[in-house]
Amino acid sequence: MCLILSIRTISTNKEEIERLEKEIGKLSRQVMLQQLFIEEKTRSEGDSGLKQTRILNDGSKPYHFPTTRSKRGVAAIHDHGHMKRTIGVGEFVAVLNGVEFRTRHNDPELRMPSTTSSNFLETEEIPFPEVPPEVTQKETVAEQVQEMREWFKAFKDQNHKERDYRKYFKPVLCYLEGMWVYDNNTDILEPFLSDRHKLDASTFEDLEDKIMFTSYGGRKDGMENFGWLPKTIVYTENGKSPSYAQWIYRIVCHPLKHDLPLSRLKMVDDLSSRMMFLRSEEEEIQTRRARFKLNQRDKEEWKERFDQSPGFIDSLMSEIPGLDNYGGNLTDEALNLPAYCPGKEQKILNTAYYHRFYEEIRPDYLRLSLRKRAFSDSNLFMSMTSQPQVAGKSLNYCTKEDSLQKKACKSYHQRWSYAVPFEIIYLNPLTNWNPYNITYKGHYKNDPEAKFVTENGNRTGGNDIHTAYNGTNSWYFFQIPQSFYSGIENKKGHGGIGVLDENGKVRYTRAAGIRVFIPEIRGIGIIRQRYPIMPLYSEGNTAYKEMASLKDIVLENNNYLKMFHNLPKDEKSDKLRKNQIKLSVDRGITLIMSRATTSDPGPHNHYVDLSAEHVNTLKSKKRLTIRSSEDSGHDHRVTIEYRPHLKNPFVMTRCDHKKTCWDGHKKLLLENVEEENDELREDKNDDDRPENYKE
């Protein structure tokens, strides 16, 4: 009897355990859906980018409290010019693909993904530019100083005719990158190097406890080494046991393949930032608070315009690898729709590099259509990875029709990382320029000789042989002659730091690290080295877009008079408004492609929007390739010529890289809908139904 009861008890307990496991699985899935809800809500309310910096001040107006600036710098950027490789970046809140997180004080090193290894998060030092031989060949320091100034003048003036500065002033693109990694509940993972800061926690759970406590009481870590990095349930194993993923991020840089002229960068007029200190645009651009944007096209001339194709930033970000590093080569074939390179006929896209746009071939039309990652995020770049540490997502994919017909489903498993551009830094020859032959003794922590630079604090950069630094290291990196800036050589003061050269002589130097602004060079002025280009989360918000529109209308009202509902009865303003309307009609036009004639996908039209710039380009006897609107599930890349002797002078000469469109559009491009209707009336006896249509 006892044995029977015992067996029944064991059986009951086993059933109860299985039931509880299933309930845990259901609850875990509900938590996953709640996380998805939060991320989807965050995605719909803004774009990936910078959201907030720490506030340390008070004021009487809302704009006295900075959103994306610290008191002095956008994204809290600052200088550590005395350090060889440190990029000064403070704390901030950011969003990447709907994931909101708060960083520690960053101060990343100037590093790039590894060029020789595919190991997870492995990086290497970015090489600094060489010194022009025209400088090193000079016999005296004074002559080298004078020649080096000429190179900086050439860079500032962007004049490469006499001195081709492009060989020695190299742009690097730094980016903010985030990813989900499997949480193994062991030691905390530091995703990037910094000589000044690291997460002050033994595990991510320890970090979470510290964030909860300090957020509850409004405190901050004195060293700013706490950060809020969310955790999520990424899947449930066998529908029962939850598996967790931890969010991590890093700031890394990539040396661009080509020169980036300064004319491609322009300050964004973030009005609230200017209002905080009542600065003009000319004053704001001379501060760390200035934020910049890249020209939509790699051109000298700027045009603010709506566009339907990848921009200049896409070509730059496409040079940057994801977590598989520079050797990565992956393809995205999800949903039975392989991703192709945009604008290149049926070339598979290497999704191991960062991108926003791709093209896919719809199976019903067998033609390329342009797509963009994310639902409505204008800033987000994505890259696939094969790193097993990255938490992936799986899908057993069947269409509804496949399921009804009981066809085999196709399984996909993908891992992704996310990024936005952060800043452009122009490296220059100063880091490698050492005219005093001062001995560099390596990394201040890792190299034994480095400690002799300060001799345990006894040397402080003073003016005599007893207190001057004994050489340099990665933390105390002073080797530029102070005369390069001030014009005064071997005299104390003027910002000079005493350093012993290899012969034990005191040399007066300045810091050679990375700065936002290089100190004023005598006869040349101040030169900006760092150009922050990070996008803002708020830029994707509807209210922000309305305010940006209103700001342009108010601050540049003479350019937008036609947008006003009512104007003061002023003859000059009224005339200017009517002229603007006339110009916009005359210069910017919408063309309509003739109706398609093939039975599949059936009759349809496409529109081609031409800006005033496009029209001027065509009228200057140049061809223009542009993308049409998407209709009937596809679009076209059309090449247009302007032939003024024709009644309808805009003519399509190529369609999707071929002489004719696959779906039967004629070469004629009409300038208005009425002309299209006239054409249809001429064919009124034609049956618009597809050939395979059956009653």
Side-chain angles (χ1 to χ4, degrees), residues 295-391:
N295 199 345
Q296 188 71 8
R297 293 285 175 262
D298 184 12
K299 293 183 178 180
E300 193 90 13
E301 184 182 11
W302 277 76
K303 293 286 184 180
E304 302 291 356
R305 60 186 176 188
F306 165 81
D307 214 333
Q308 293 178 285
S309 55
F312 185 33
I313 185 63
D314 291 280
S315 65
L316 299 183
M317 289 293 289
S318 68
E319 297 180 11
I320 298 175
L323 301 176
D324 283 12
N325 298 338
Y326 288 98
N329 193 345
L330 298 169
T331 58
D332 177 11
E333 300 180 356
L335 311 182
N336 297 328
L337 295 171
Y340 291 86
C341 294
K344 297 180 181 179
E345 189 174 8
Q346 296 195 13
K347 180 181 178 182
I348 291 291
L349 176 67
N350 182 2
T351 52
Y353 280 70
Y354 278 106
H355 61 284
R356 292 187 298 178
F357 291 91
Y358 65 97
E359 289 185 340
E360 66 184 22
I361 298 179
R362 283 189 49 164
D364 45 356
Y365 302 137
L366 301 179
R367 291 298 182 271
L368 290 169
S369 295
L370 185 68
R371 298 289 181 260
K372 194 174 185 181
R373 296 286 176 190
F375 183 75
S376 62
D377 195 326
S378 61
N379 303 327
L380 180 64
F381 289 82
M382 299 177 65
S383 170
M384 284 183 73
T385 179
S386 61
Q387 299 291 353
Q389 297 92 332
V390 175

Side-chain angles (χ1 to χ4, degrees), residues 601-615:
H604 65 276
N605 298 99
H606 299 274
Y607 294 89
V608 180
D609 293 313
L610 298 181
S611 66
E613 181 187 7
H614 292 149
V615 175

Side-chain angles (χ1 to χ4, degrees), residues 56-284:
L56 298 172
N57 62 281
D58 201 356
S60 58
K61 293 282 189 178
Y63 49 75
H64 290 156
F65 300 89
T67 302
T68 55
R69 274 92 170 152
S70 62
K71 184 179 178 182
R72 300 188 66 184
V74 60
I77 67 169
H78 53 278
D79 286 347
H80 289 295
H82 63 91
M83 303 181 74
K84 187 175 183 179
R85 287 192 166 270
T86 297
I87 307 168
V89 180
E91 305 168 279
F92 58 81
V93 177
V95 173
L96 287 177
N97 194 27
V99 180
E100 182 172 323
F101 59 102
R102 172 154 45 103
T103 74
R104 60 161 165 81
H105 193 119
N106 290 284
D107 287 352
E109 283 191 18
L110 181 69
R111 300 182 71 88
M112 62 190 287
S114 175
T115 58
T116 59
S117 168
S118 61
N119 291 342
F120 184 50
L121 300 179
E122 187 158 335
T123 59
E124 62 186 54
E125 293 182 345
I126 294 178
F128 289 105
E130 295 299 320
V131 181
E134 293 86 345
V135 174
T136 56
Q137 289 169 2
K138 301 295 183 183
E139 293 185 0
T140 67
V141 171
E143 289 175 323
Q144 287 196 34
V145 164
Q146 186 58 40
E147 179 63 24
M148 183 64 87
R149 283 180 181 166
E150 293 299 322
W151 285 90
F152 273 79
K153 185 177 187 303
F155 171 73
K156 185 178 182 181
D157 296 341
Q158 295 286 279
N159 182 358
H160 54 79
K161 292 182 179 179
E162 186 174 343
R163 290 176 175 83
D164 193 354
Y165 65 84
R166 297 172 298 181
K167 301 176 184 177
Y168 310 105
F169 290 76
K170 297 291 187 178
V172 299
L173 172 55
C174 299
Y175 54 100
L176 174 66
E177 183 178 46
M179 69 221 76
W180 291 105
V181 296
Y182 288 115
D183 182 21
N184 56 15
N185 296 311
T186 57
D187 294 343
I188 200 162
L189 174 63
E190 280 285 355
F192 65 99
L193 294 176
S194 171
D195 276 340
R196 295 179 54 85
H197 295 275
K198 61 182 179 181
L199 292 169
D200 185 13
S202 56
T203 64
F204 282 110
E205 186 174 332
D206 180 26
L207 182 63
E208 291 160 3
D209 289 340
K210 289 172 177 174
I211 285 293
M212 285 190 286
F213 180 83
T214 53
S215 295
Y216 177 74
R219 295 294 301 271
K220 65 167 278 190
D221 173 42
M223 295 299 294
E224 298 181 343
N225 285 333
F226 294 168
W228 161 238
L229 302 175
K231 185 179 292 184
T232 188
I233 298 175
V234 68
Y235 69 89
T236 55
E237 191 170 350
N238 298 321
K240 299 177 181 179
S241 177
S243 181
Y244 295 92
Q246 174 66 52
W247 179 262
I248 61 172
Y249 78 97
R250 64 177 182 171
I251 299 174
V252 206
C253 301
H254 160 78
L256 293 175
K257 295 179 180 179
H258 305 288
D259 179 51
L260 180 64
L262 295 179
S263 61
R264 305 310 191 260
L265 292 156
K266 182 179 181 181
M267 190 185 82
V268 179
D269 185 13
D270 291 327
L271 192 57
S272 63
S273 176
R274 290 205 289 126
M275 286 294 290
M276 185 174 181
F277 295 103
L278 296 178
R279 288 184 176 133
S280 66
E281 287 185 275
E282 293 77 11
E283 292 170 321
E284 181 81 355

